[in-house]
């Protein structure tokens, strides 16, 4: 079965549908079992950039803000029963797994303030 990568947390076990359609950019409205971002909903409801409907060109800023908030709050696993047990500890994503997932998104890890306490 094909799996997809969450553009927010980098978890690569998203099943059934791609979070955002490649050509139309249409969201799946699925919820990531790792970071709990709901593609197509969280952009407008779980972060506040001051838009009622977030413009497409601001999506990366939304992802970054959500990612920061999620990690600062302890990277709590969204749906522990749908996320690999080996990746979690006390309901949170293990540090080394977060790093691994973020690397998958090619994020500049040494330029992220919210990773300062991580062993990079
Ligand atoms: Zn995610």
């Amino acid at each position: 079965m094909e799996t997809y990568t969450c553009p927010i947390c980098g978890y690569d076990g998203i099943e059934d549908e791609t979070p955002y359609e490649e050509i139309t950019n249409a969201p799946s409205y699925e919820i990531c079992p790792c970071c709990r971002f709901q593609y197509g909903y969280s952009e407008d409801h779980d972060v506040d950039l001051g838009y009622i409907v977030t413009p497409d060109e601001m999506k990366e800023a939304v992802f970054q803000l959500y990612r920061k908030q999620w990690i600062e709050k302890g990277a709590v696993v969204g749906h522990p029963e749908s996320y690999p047990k080996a990746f979690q500890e006390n309901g949170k994503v293990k540090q080394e797994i977060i790093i691994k997932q973020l690397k998958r998104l090619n994020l500049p890890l040494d330029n992220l303030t919210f990773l300062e306490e991580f062993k990079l």
Side-chain angles (χ1 to χ4, degrees):
M1 185 172 53
E2 192 171 356
T3 56
Y4 304 92
T5 299
C6 174
I8 294 88
C9 69
Y11 175 52
D12 67 352
I14 307 286
E15 292 173 5
D16 304 325
E17 257 191 288
T18 181
Y20 296 92
E21 204 31 69
E22 215 173 297
I23 296 164
T24 64
N25 209 27
S28 67
Y29 293 99
E30 293 294 320
I31 297 172
C32 177
C34 179
C35 69
R36 216 164 201 260
F37 192 93
Q38 184 175 12
Y39 316 114
Y41 179 89
S42 288
E43 301 72 335
D44 301 325
H45 299 89
D46 295 329
V47 289
D48 187 2
L49 287 183
Y51 294 102
I52 296 165
V53 178
T54 306
D56 272 353
E57 63 269 26
M58 296 304 288
K59 289 275 161 76
E60 280 304 321
V62 164
F63 293 171
Q64 173 66 6
L65 181 55
Y66 187 96
R67 184 183 291 132
K68 175 176 181 287
Q69 291 173 349
W70 176 65
I71 290 174
E72 282 177 346
K73 287 178 187 163
V76 175
V77 179
H79 293 290
E81 66 289 344
S82 310
Y83 184 72
K85 283 208 166 44
F87 294 180
Q88 31 180 320
E89 205 163 39
N90 304 320
K92 296 176 174 185
V93 181
K94 290 180 181 172
Q95 270 200 9
E96 69 262 31
I97 300 295
I98 295 175
I99 296 300
K100 201 173 160 190
Q101 291 186 183
L102 296 183
K103 278 185 177 164
R104 198 174 281 143
L105 298 175
N106 293 318
L107 293 171
L109 300 190
D110 52 2
N111 192 23
L112 297 176
T113 56
F114 52 89
L115 296 180
E116 271 166 1
E117 300 193 359
F118 283 56
K119 296 172 220 92
L120 293 173

